[in-house]
Amino acid sequence: AKVAAQNRLDVAAQQGATQLQIAQLMAQSRAEIAQLTASLRQAGKGEAKLPPSLQKEESKDLEAVDAYAGQLQALTPALTALTPDSTGKRTLELGPLKNLKYQAQLAAGNSSPEARAYEGLKSAVDTAVNLQVSAEKGVQTDKDVLRFAKALIASYGSNDTQATFEALGRYQKALQSAQDKTKGRLESRRKSQGVGAYYEGSSQGQQVIKLD
C-alpha cells in the first residue's frame, strides 16, 4: 500500500499536480493505509465492527479528516514564508507591484524563492475559496473554518502582508480544531459500539505555527 501510494505521488508530480493536489493525495494515502491497518488488526483480534449504518458515518468523517489534512498541509509553506525571522524579515512580502513581479516571474519560468512562496500562498488561498464555494452549494462546513476562510480571502485581496499572515494562522487553527473534533466524534462512535480506536498509536495533529 505504501509503494502504491508513493507511485501515485510520483506520477502526480510528473504530471504537474499542484501543491494542494499532492497534499490531498498524501492525506488520502495515509487514511487508506491507516484504514487497512485497522481492518487487519480487527480481523486478527476478532474485534467487533461498526454496523453498516455507522460505517457510513465513519466514512464521511474520514473524508472530512482527509480534506482538513490536505488543507493544513497546503497552508504550511505559505505560513512559513510569511513568518518573520528574528530580524523581522520575511521570505514573502505582499504588495500590488510585488505581486505583479512574482506573477511575471512565474509566467516566464524564471521564478525566485519569493515568487514560489507567492504561488504557495495563492494555493493556500485557493483552498479557502474552494471551501467557500462548496459551502455555498450546500456542503456541510464547520462554521469557524468557513468564517476564517472568508477572512483569509479578504486579507489576501488587500495585499496586506501582516493581515494575511494572521488570517492564515487563524484559518490553520480553525482547520486543526475541526479536524480534532471530527476525529473525536469518530472515536466516540467507535467506543460506544465497543470497537477499537481508529487512530490508536498514530499522530492526530499537524504542526501549528504559533502567532506572536
Side-chain angles (χ1 to χ4, degrees):
K2 290 181 179 179
V3 172
Q6 186 60 52
N7 288 339
R8 287 200 300 268
L9 288 173
D10 291 342
V11 171
Q14 291 171 4
Q15 294 179 344
T18 65
Q19 185 180 61
L20 174 59
Q21 290 170 329
I22 291 176
Q24 290 172 332
L25 276 175
M26 292 176 67
Q28 180 183 350
S29 297
R30 284 196 299 269
E32 289 173 352
I33 293 170
Q35 190 167 19
L36 175 60
T37 302
S39 298
L40 292 172
R41 187 187 300 123
Q42 286 182 353
K45 295 181 179 179
E47 294 180 0
K49 296 183 179 180
L50 290 173
S53 60
L54 294 183
Q55 286 179 356
K56 185 176 181 180
E57 293 302 313
E58 179 167 285
S59 294
K60 291 180 180 178
D61 284 340
L62 288 172
E63 288 178 7
V65 169
D66 288 350
Y68 291 137
Q71 290 163 346
L72 283 165
Q73 191 157 352
L75 297 184
T76 302
L79 269 168
T80 301
L82 287 169
T83 301
D85 61 18
S86 58
T87 65
K89 184 178 179 180
R90 311 173 196 257
T91 302
L92 178 63
E93 292 284 351
L94 302 177
L97 295 179
K98 290 180 181 291
N99 294 357
L100 287 174
K101 177 183 175 182
Y102 303 146
Q103 292 168 15
Q105 289 176 335
L106 291 165
N110 187 31
S111 63
S112 62
E114 294 82 2
R116 291 191 290 274
Y118 177 77
E119 180 67 13
L121 173 60
K122 184 179 182 301
S123 177
V125 174
D126 286 344
T127 69
V129 173
N130 292 337
L131 192 72
Q132 185 174 358
V133 171
S134 296
E136 290 170 353
K137 292 181 178 180
V139 177
Q140 191 69 24
T141 306
D142 182 272
K143 291 182 179 179
D144 283 341
V145 170
L146 183 59
R147 177 159 60 95
F148 289 122
K150 292 179 178 178
L152 171 59
I153 296 168
S155 297
Y156 173 74
S158 68
N159 296 315
D160 187 315
T161 305
Q162 181 62 24
T164 301
F165 170 60
E166 292 176 359
L168 264 174
R170 287 189 288 267
Y171 182 40
Q172 182 195 49
K173 289 181 179 179
L175 286 168
Q176 184 65 66
S177 176
Q179 185 186 57
D180 291 342
K181 286 189 291 186
T182 304
K183 288 182 177 181
R185 181 171 62 246
L186 183 152
E187 298 293 18
S188 294
R189 182 189 301 115
R190 284 179 155 252
K191 185 176 181 180
S192 69
Q193 299 296 312
V195 179
Y198 185 88
Y199 291 101
E200 182 180 6
S202 65
S203 175
Q204 295 191 22
Q206 296 265 344
Q207 182 180 3
V208 175
I209 296 179
K210 296 182 179 179
L211 299 176
D212 294 331

